Amino acid sequence: MVPTQKLGIYWGNTGISLVELSKDAVVNSAFVSFADMEANAVVGLSTINADLRLLDIVQRTLRSSSFSVGNAYLSLPSKDIIVRWFVIPWVKPDEVQGMVSFEAKKYLPFAMDELFFNYYPSTITKDGTRKIGIVLTAIRKVHYERYYNVLVQAGINVVYSEPSAMSLLRTMVYRKLVNTEQTSAILIAREESCEIVIASKGHIRFIRDFSLRPAQAGTEENSDDLFRLKFFNEIRMSLDFFSRDNGGQDVAKIIAVSSGLKLSFFDGMSEDVGLPVQVMEHFQVLENTNALVDIGYLRAFGVGLSGQVPTVIDFNLSEGNVHGGAKKAEGARPPLIPPQALLVAAVVCLCAGLLAASWWWINGQMQKEQALKQEVSARLGRNLDTPREDFDSKITLLNKKIEAVKSLPLKRALADFFVYFVKLMPAGMWFDNVDIAYTSTSQGGAAPKKLSAADYYVVKTSARMSITGFASLGDTNAEFELVNQFVVKLRNDARIKQLFPDVKLKSLQARDTGAKQKITAFTIDF
């Protein structure tokens, strides 16, 4: 049985949104701002870490807002969530979990034992053969446990958790803005960033965040048209990536939710992407709910509806590594001990523990110092009386050797750089030719002609590189914009700056391929 009263919580980038629900009605809400961690730091406890200060703010918010629900449903931020879609052969139901665990290792960047994950299987037909499609969501245990521990210490009993994209989807389906039988894209657009969530059959299939930071005011690049062009181009690239990654499956509709952008900004979007687009302000999603004035509240509201929207799958990451499709969160027993009593007991235990730990630490340090003296005397042996100046001279010589060896020009480092460099390259671009020239000189001038055993000098190595290539998007203006964005990205990348501090776009021109299609050629110097 699904509890009728729940506390929905969304942990966002700027704070924590809390919404108390009775069935599907909002009865209370609050927001915990992370900015208060500095403005209202715990007096006299400045050495305690940020989690304890956050714990204090959460507890004060709960008390001042008079929340009455102990069981909480947590919506986890997308930045920590991993979503993968893959296909496995048709197997018996009791063999699916083993097959998923085996296949998932190919698609996840972390070891399985480092993750809490959940998955949902669905029957599909591919190339005329019946197979099983798997959508898998995961979060690193270290990230999940940080959120969980703060809430539990605040007296909140977390019984269910899911990706915030699922919470948002559930809210949109509940409001009949998304049809689960279609593949739909939900677009959350802010002034400087955007999140796109693509869902089908009641579960998420694709999540992507991208920045929309405008140029400085007063520049030509800050025009509304150019800003809109970049925005629409990012949407098209997201849709194309989803289609390629999902066997050509296309999105049927886009629901754009604005938070800070004028609705007129979306004019022409439907024609540009070739899809029907429904645009609304974020406060229009939930009618007659004046308290929910932020995107975070939509996610907190959605996770609070878990188990109440049958067409949306419940992915409960709180249950650990289990099959998530048919799992529904049940209410857990509220804490028997009041949170205030737990806090007092925790503070007393903390003080006693600090005193005991201090005594043990001081005693241990004295014993370690005595043991270290004995160990040094034993190791030095007959060299115990050797003057310190002799040791310093040997250390100086060794350090000089090490610096000389470290400075040797290792061209293999540039090969590793190319692997990283190619990963930065956006879709629609490719390289045609790469020219590299190395220059090596000794620090302070030429290397000595005759070297003795004590001669070590530092070699300074530099490299110059020129790359030519092409861009093809079917639109010359878009290709020019793509190349310019790529050059800016290279200039701002910290790793590339170490090898090539000066990146220049030497040439950029449109060329006719002879097949009634133009491409853009470019040359980038490093």
Side-chain angles (χ1 to χ4, degrees):
M1 179 179 177
V2 177
T4 57
Q5 283 200 277
K6 302 177 181 177
L7 178 61
I9 300 175
Y10 168 64
W11 196 301
N13 293 328
T14 60
I16 303 173
S17 303
L18 301 100
V19 175
E20 184 176 347
L21 297 174
S22 178
K23 293 186 178 179
D24 58 352
V26 177
V27 297
N28 202 354
S29 64
F31 181 73
V32 178
S33 174
F34 292 155
D36 291 343
M37 291 178 63
E38 294 300 330
N40 301 311
V42 181
V43 177
L45 296 178
S46 59
T47 58
I48 295 181
N49 62 30
D51 281 355
L52 287 181
R53 286 186 287 143
L54 177 59
L55 171 62
D56 175 73
I57 299 173
V58 172
Q59 289 175 326
R60 284 191 280 111
T61 302
L62 292 174
R63 288 195 299 269
S64 62
S65 301
S66 302
F67 286 97
S68 60
V69 178
N71 291 341
Y73 294 69
L74 175 60
S75 183
L76 298 163
S78 295
K79 65 183 180 68
D80 294 323
I81 295 298
I82 303 169
V83 179
R84 294 292 184 269
W85 164 262
F86 54 91
V87 177
I88 63 174
W90 182 265
V91 294
K92 297 178 181 178
D94 57 351
E95 298 175 354
V96 171
Q97 184 164 344
M99 182 68 74
V100 169
S101 298
F102 176 78
E103 288 291 323
K105 297 176 183 177
K106 304 176 184 178
Y107 303 95
L108 296 175
F110 304 103
M112 298 296 287
D113 57 3
E114 296 181 27
L115 304 171
F116 287 132
F117 66 90
N118 223 322
Y119 66 91
Y120 180 76
S122 58
T123 302
I124 64 172
T125 300
K126 187 174 183 180
D127 300 328
T129 304
R130 185 173 60 169
K131 296 188 177 183
I132 300 176
I134 299 293
V135 58
L136 182 142
T137 62
I139 183 172
R140 294 188 69 186
K141 292 178 180 178
V142 64
H143 293 156
Y144 175 83
E145 288 168 355
R146 188 209 170 212
Y147 303 132
Y148 177 84
N149 290 338
V150 170
L151 296 176
V152 168
Q153 291 175 47
I156 298 174
N157 188 30
V158 180
V159 298
Y160 178 91
S161 60
E162 69 180 7
S164 62
M166 286 299 306
S167 307
L168 180 64
L169 172 63
R170 190 178 292 105
T171 297
M172 304 299 279
V173 172
Y174 167 79
R175 288 288 295 120
K176 296 182 172 56
L177 297 171
V178 169
N179 182 358
T180 56
E181 295 303 315
Q182 291 182 331
T183 301
S184 304
I186 304 171
L187 189 65
I188 303 298
R190 306 176 186 86
E191 292 185 359
E192 294 189 357
S193 64
C194 182
E195 177 184 6
I196 183 169
V197 176
I198 300 179
S200 175
K201 302 296 183 181
H203 55 75
I204 51 177
R205 295 282 295 274
F206 176 85
I207 304 174
R208 180 176 177 243
D209 294 301
F210 53 88
S211 174
L212 288 176
R213 299 181 186 276
Q216 294 296 324
T219 65
E220 183 179 350
E221 296 183 9
N222 199 28
S223 67
D224 289 342
D225 291 339
L226 190 58
F227 188 39
R228 185 184 290 108
L229 176 64
K230 177 183 179 182
F231 177 66
F232 290 172
N233 186 50
E234 292 285 355
I235 300 302
R236 288 196 305 271
M237 287 193 297
S238 299
L239 297 175
D240 291 343
F241 183 85
F242 168 77
S243 180
R244 291 195 305 269
D245 200 41
N246 289 268
Q249 184 175 355
D250 293 323
V251 171
K253 178 184 178 181
I254 296 177
I255 302 94
V257 181
S258 173
S259 177
L261 291 175
K262 296 180 180 179
L263 296 186
S264 59
F265 179 78
F266 299 89
D267 292 347
M269 179 177 176
S270 179
E271 293 79 5
D272 189 89
V273 300
L275 292 173
V277 178
Q278 180 179 357
V279 182
M280 63 179 60
E281 297 277 9
H282 66 275
F283 54 79
Q284 295 176 316
V285 175
L286 294 176
E287 296 177 348
N288 303 321
T289 311
N290 295 328
L292 308 186
V293 294
D294 184 77
I295 293 292
Y297 286 113
L298 299 183
R299 303 177 194 267
F301 179 84
V303 73
L305 290 178
S306 60
Q308 297 177 236
V309 184
T311 54
V312 177
I313 305 303
D314 292 339
F315 283 85
N316 190 0
L317 294 173
S318 295
E319 296 178 344
N321 302 336
V322 296
H323 169 205
K327 298 287 183 179
K328 304 293 180 182
E330 299 291 340
R333 181 180 300 175
L336 297 177
I337 303 175
Q340 294 82 356
L342 288 174
L343 180 60
V344 172
V347 171
V348 172
C349 292
L350 177 62
C351 293
L354 288 173
L355 290 174
S358 299
W359 184 86
W360 283 106
W361 183 82
I362 293 173
N363 186 57
Q365 289 298 112
M366 294 175 63
Q367 293 180 1
K368 287 181 180 179
E369 183 179 355
Q370 185 62 31
L372 181 60
K373 289 181 179 179
Q374 296 176 358
E375 181 181 354
V376 171
S377 298
R379 289 189 175 184
L380 289 176
R382 61 183 182 180
N383 295 320
L384 183 62
D385 297 325
T386 300
R388 179 173 177 174
E389 291 76 11
D390 291 353
F391 286 111
D392 290 342
S393 177
K394 293 180 179 179
I395 291 173
T396 301
L397 180 59
L398 287 174
N399 286 336
K400 192 174 181 181
K401 292 180 180 180
I402 291 172
E403 290 301 319
V405 172
K406 284 183 177 180
S407 73
L408 293 178
L410 299 179
K411 297 182 181 180
R412 178 183 174 277
L414 200 56
D416 294 335
F417 160 77
F418 269 111
V419 175
Y420 175 73
F421 187 81
V422 171
K423 291 180 179 179
L424 295 179
M425 185 173 60
M429 289 181 62
W430 68 92
F431 298 146
D432 180 56
N433 187 56
V434 179
D435 291 326
I436 305 172
Y438 291 95
T439 303
S440 297
T441 59
S442 63
Q443 184 171 308
K449 296 181 179 181
K450 295 182 179 181
L451 299 178
S452 67
D455 284 327
Y456 298 95
Y457 62 96
V458 174
V459 176
K460 183 178 180 181
T461 302
S462 62
R464 290 182 294 102
M465 182 170 65
S466 180
I467 292 179
T468 59
F470 301 94
S472 177
L473 294 175
D475 183 290
T476 301
N477 290 334
E479 292 164 2
F480 275 44
E481 175 70 13
L482 181 65
V483 175
N484 277 289
Q485 289 178 357
F486 181 54
V487 172
V488 172
K489 186 175 184 180
L490 295 177
R491 289 172 179 166
N492 295 331
D493 190 278
R495 183 172 177 183
I496 291 180
K497 284 182 179 179
Q498 292 179 350
L499 287 175
F500 302 106
D502 187 17
V503 180
K504 297 179 180 178
L505 180 58
K506 183 178 181 181
S507 65
L508 183 65
Q509 60 181 351
R511 290 187 180 179
D512 195 339
T513 63
K516 296 182 178 181
Q517 182 179 1
K518 289 186 176 181
I519 61 175
T520 296
F522 62 87
T523 301
I524 303 173
D525 286 345
F526 297 79

